[in-house]
Amino acid sequence: MLARVLSAAVNGIEAFPVEVEVNSGWGDTVIVIVGLPDAAVKESRDRVTTAISNSGFKFPMGRTTINLAPADVRKEGPSFDLPIAIGMIAASDQLTSDRMDHYVMVGELALTGQVRPVKGVLSVAWRARAEKMTGVIVPVENAAEAAVVEGLEVIPVADLRQAAAFLDGEIKIEPTRVDLNKIFDQSYDDEIDMAEVKGQESVKRALEIAAAGGHNVLLIGPPGTGKSMLAKRLTTILPPLTLEEALETTKVHSIVGLLKPGQALVTRRPFRSPHHTASDAGLLGGNVNPTPGEISLAHHGVLFLDELPEFKRGVLETMRQPIEEGRVTISRAAGSMTFPSQFMLVAAMNPTPDGKMPGESRSSAREIANYLGRISGPLLDRIDLHIEVPQVKFRDISAEQTGETSAVIRGRVIAARQRQQARFARKPSITCNARMGPRELKAHCALEETTKELLKFAMADLNLSARAYDRVLKVARTIADLAGAENIAGDHISEAIQYRSLDRQLWT
């Protein structure tokens, strides 16, 4: 007998439909899986057969052929265990149901028949709705994740027998539902806070500008000045994720398996901090079967690279295109996949190899030049704000009075972002000033003659590139938005220029 069960597989961050066809016939008792299965799918034969027997079903005798269609796309992972088991039960006349044509199912099986969670369920649920399916049958731990997709029945199952009983109409399972408003109703009270950082008011100001416009930041200062502490608190002043941003971020985290059991969405902006020994595959993504790297896991959040010159130069250079385009394409023998990577880059470094400022360092000029030369000019041009983080003075450390809280700063950042959203309402792909293209720069960053002369002088004096010129305009536009100004004024340009001068003083 032939049975057909609907499932799905993930390619990149999107899912595609997979039909699991099971045919049980005469011959020696053997199970054959075709349709480009990987090792994990091939091993499902042993898991599935044992789970069927331990769940009280009869094991189908004779030759059982399982086809995963389309046959020309590689199938990976254990998520096909549940649909294969249901197909084998149906092919041996132990299950008769037309519901199998209306539900997409995924799940890994334990030997006891328990259904275990799998990766990429959110993408599978989106595909099921696009295919106009009634619903999805998923592990209990993945139910909340799938339930964020509206207009779809999400049926949580704990074991194989429960899934079969639901399809056969023996039991009724209430679909899982989630309250999106409740999920996003979160408090920042218990988080780390900017008020905990003593002193460094000029650095906090620069980080506020970066958060308001989505700009990249380079923090330069001796050890112990609070560079890492400040970077870790940047997410507390960023605006909350929108639903669309949360869905995109959750898809990436779901594919990698970073969602906690029962977690529906990633509702807080990610903060990723890879070690400087990370490879290009770990940072950008890759391996034999392309998977998202750190820059994609930081999508709509912050990627923090501490000790920037310690990263391999080749690894840093591969980041240039993703920083510019907001996505990364990984090409391997198994295929080419594109992952999103719209993140804020926050990097930190010492000014010299021994951590001292250039005038105080015992390192030779050649050693300092070699140390700083590990970061290329094109990469520096893509970092909008270069900020000196000085030593904290004793009076600031010992002061009982704290600075502004993250909530206060975040309020100003949100107001600036709202101005940008109104400005780019006709182009939803541009979410902040840092994402402006040449047309938007021309339309929204026009300068008066006196202001233009100021920028012209700065370009000549600091030897700024054309890309750096664009970055200065974008930062000035953000400073004007924070001030509530319609046009960019001379003081906005002056402040933006000062955030480009430090690297030129050091690098030259």
Side-chain angles (χ1 to χ4, degrees), residues 284 295 318-328 341 343:
L284 272 72
I295 65 173
T318 57
M319 292 179 55
R320 283 158 50 180
Q321 184 178 2
I323 290 174
E324 204 72 26
E325 298 182 357
R327 63 181 183 274
V328 57
S341 60
F343 59 90

Side-chain angles (χ1 to χ4, degrees), residues 144 147-148 176-185 264-265:
V148 301
T176 299
R177 293 181 176 83
V178 296
D179 186 348
L180 292 178
N181 293 327
K182 186 176 181 180
I183 292 175
F184 280 96
D185 185 18
L265 281 175

Side-chain angles (χ1 to χ4, degrees), residues 122-141:
L122 178 58
S123 299
V124 170
W126 275 107
R127 173 51 60 183
R129 191 179 75 167
E131 297 291 326
K132 296 183 171 25
M133 294 289 107
T134 301
V136 292
I137 299 175
V138 299
V140 173
E141 292 87 345

Side-chain angles (χ1 to χ4, degrees), residues 145-167:
E145 176 187 347
V148 301
V149 181
E150 298 179 349
L152 197 67
E153 288 185 15
V154 178
I155 308 300
V157 292
D159 52 52
L160 176 59
R161 175 158 288 281
Q162 186 181 30
F166 170 78
L167 291 170

Side-chain angles (χ1 to χ4, degrees), residues 86-414:
I86 292 295
M88 292 177 67
I89 295 171
S92 56
D93 292 327
Q94 300 177 77
L95 172 63
T96 304
S97 173
D98 60 355
R99 285 188 173 185
M100 291 187 295
D101 294 330
H102 303 285
Y103 287 88
V104 171
M105 62 184 77
V106 292
E108 178 185 348
L109 287 178
L111 300 183
T112 60
Q114 177 188 358
V115 181
R116 290 173 172 166
V118 293
K119 302 175 183 177
V121 169
L122 178 58
S123 299
V124 170
W126 275 107
R127 173 51 60 183
R129 191 179 75 167
E131 297 291 326
K132 296 183 171 25
M133 294 289 107
T134 301
V136 292
I137 299 175
V138 299
V140 173
E141 292 87 345
N142 294 128
E145 176 187 347
V148 301
V149 181
E150 298 179 349
L152 197 67
E153 288 185 15
V154 178
I155 308 300
V157 292
D159 52 52
L160 176 59
R161 175 158 288 281
Q162 186 181 30
F166 170 78
L167 291 170
D168 212 15
E170 296 178 5
I171 62 173
K172 183 179 180 181
I173 300 177
E174 193 68 25
T176 299
R177 293 181 176 83
V178 296
D179 186 348
L180 292 178
N181 293 327
K182 186 176 181 180
I183 292 175
F184 280 96
D185 185 18
Q186 58 179 327
S187 172
Y188 289 85
D189 292 342
D190 297 331
E191 287 191 356
I192 53 180
D193 199 284
M194 276 290 185
E196 299 165 350
V197 181
K198 297 293 185 70
Q200 306 293 18
E201 296 306 318
S202 61
V203 183
K204 293 179 186 178
R205 164 65 178 175
L207 292 180
E208 179 180 341
I209 295 170
H215 302 290
N216 300 324
V217 179
L218 174 62
L219 302 173
I220 305 178
T225 54
K227 299 187 295 293
S228 299
M229 188 178 186
L230 286 159
K232 290 176 181 178
R233 282 154 180 77
L234 180 58
T235 55
T236 67
I237 64 173
L238 288 171
L241 284 170
T242 64
L243 176 58
E244 182 179 354
E245 290 174 337
L247 289 171
E248 291 178 0
T249 306
T250 304
K251 278 185 179 181
V252 178
H253 284 240
S254 175
I255 291 165
V256 182
L258 293 181
L259 293 186
K260 300 176 183 177
Q263 182 179 0
L265 281 175
V266 175
T267 55
R268 297 186 179 182
R269 295 191 181 272
F271 180 87
R272 305 293 300 181
S273 180
H275 194 260
H276 61 76
T277 57
S279 64
D280 55 351
L283 204 61
L284 272 72
N287 298 319
V288 178
N289 299 311
T291 54
E294 290 291 341
I295 65 173
S296 295
L297 292 171
H299 186 50
H300 293 311
V302 173
L303 178 69
F304 178 49
L305 302 183
D306 199 7
E307 303 295 342
L308 185 65
E310 301 300 329
F311 283 81
K312 296 178 182 177
R313 178 158 181 161
V315 173
L316 294 178
E317 293 305 299
T318 57
M319 292 179 55
R320 283 158 50 180
Q321 184 178 2
I323 290 174
E324 204 72 26
E325 298 182 357
R327 63 181 183 274
V328 57
T329 300
I330 309 296
S331 296
R332 295 291 186 271
S336 179
M337 297 182 185
T338 299
F339 300 109
S341 60
Q342 286 191 13
F343 59 90
M344 281 182 61
L345 173 62
V346 180
M349 61 175 289
N350 298 327
T352 60
D354 60 2
K356 305 291 185 180
M357 294 302 291
E360 306 169 353
S361 176
R362 294 183 178 181
S363 302
S364 66
R366 180 180 292 275
E367 289 173 335
I368 296 175
N370 290 338
Y371 175 74
L372 299 177
R374 297 176 188 175
I375 306 170
S376 68
L379 180 61
L380 280 175
D381 277 347
R382 288 169 169 82
I383 301 178
D384 305 350
L385 296 92
H386 310 149
I387 309 161
E388 181 182 359
V389 186
Q391 292 284 1
V392 184
K393 297 179 180 179
F394 175 78
R395 66 170 180 268
D396 292 328
I397 299 176
S398 59
E400 295 184 4
Q401 185 178 1
T402 59
E404 289 183 314
T405 64
S406 292
V408 173
I409 301 173
R410 187 169 62 249
R412 295 195 295 266
V413 169
I414 292 174

Side-chain angles (χ1 to χ4, degrees), residues 439-460:
R439 292 183 180 179
E440 290 73 34
L441 277 173
K442 184 177 180 180
H444 306 296
C445 298
L447 303 178
E448 297 180 353
E449 284 302 319
T450 53
T451 308
K452 192 179 295 185
E453 284 297 319
L454 175 63
L455 184 53
K456 177 182 177 181
F457 175 79
M459 282 196 67

